[in-house]
Amino acid sequence: MEKLMSRILQDGDIHLGGVLKVDTFINHQIDPVLMYDCAAELLERFSNRKFNKILTIESSGIAPAILAGYIAKLPVVFAKKAKPVCMGQAYSATIHSFTKDNDYNVMISEELLSADDHILFIDDFLAYGDAALGVIDICRQAGATIEGMGFLIEKKFQNGRYAIGKSDASVKVESLAIIESHLGF
Ligand code: 5GP
């Protein structure tokens, strides 16, 4: 997606260890018009799949996911990183964050995900694929079907797409901006 790629080239900043800083339009300050366009493009790319719910992980996936939900008029569920006292039984998975170099749990209430659900997952980045694998795990626990996984930015050199395919070959993966190599950025 031309618009996102040129914004990355203009305002993105590559850090040691292959971390791309996009704090001025995705991760800290958010450009809602760009996020809207990204959400619309992701929906277009998954228009051949039928889904009834959009899933993401807090916090940076929420902006594009909620705009996709707004356009498609579908509910948006975000996996929480901390369990509120009022949450009942929940599906959960442990995810390794390479940007923070730690493990964290994500959970989704059993009330919000079931075997009837067909899911479009949306997130800001696809790197090694750990977050995506956590979501695949949670959906398996619920018996939900993942129709697709859409990302704003994929860092191809970290092979997340391969990790997803190895875990579930039926999941369609789409990314709007693909960074081929951290050297080439
Ligand atoms: P993965 O689980 O695929 O290794 O990484 C995906 C998650 O890590 C994303 O949800 C995102 O929050 C974070 N992440 C991965 N790579 C980057 C990056 O280069 N820049 C930023 N800002 N976040 C990243």
Side-chain angles (χ1 to χ4, degrees), residues 77-80 82-93 106-114 138 141-142:
V77 175
F78 63 93
K80 286 179 175 270
K83 188 170 182 178
V85 277
C86 56
M87 189 189 267
Q89 293 287 100
Y91 304 112
S92 69
V106 290
M107 60 216 77
I108 293 180
S109 166
E110 288 187 6
E111 292 169 5
L112 298 177
L113 196 61
S114 78
I138 283 178
Q141 292 169 41

Side-chain angles (χ1 to χ4, degrees), residues 18-20 27 98-99 123-131 155:
V19 175
L20 177 62
N27 288 144
F98 97 96
T99 53
D123 205 2
D124 57 344
F125 275 91
L126 173 60
Y128 292 96
D130 290 307
K155 292 181 297 171

Side-chain angles (χ1 to χ4, degrees), residues 14 18-23 27 57 60-61 81 95-100 104 123-132 151 155 158 160:
I14 198 86
V19 175
L20 177 62
K21 189 174 173 190
V22 287
D23 277 7
N27 288 144
I57 298 181
S60 294
K81 290 180 178 166
I95 292 174
H96 180 73
S97 165
F98 97 96
T99 53
K100 298 193 179 98
Y104 61 95
D123 205 2
D124 57 344
F125 275 91
L126 173 60
Y128 292 96
D130 290 307
F151 302 90
K155 292 181 297 171
Q158 290 170 331

Side-chain angles (χ1 to χ4, degrees), residues 18 54 57-58 69-70 73 82 94 125 134 141 145 155 179 185:
I54 293 170
I57 298 181
E58 70 174 343
Y70 176 77
K73 296 189 171 40
T94 303
F125 275 91
Q141 292 169 41
T145 306
K155 292 181 297 171
I179 314 286
F185 179 72

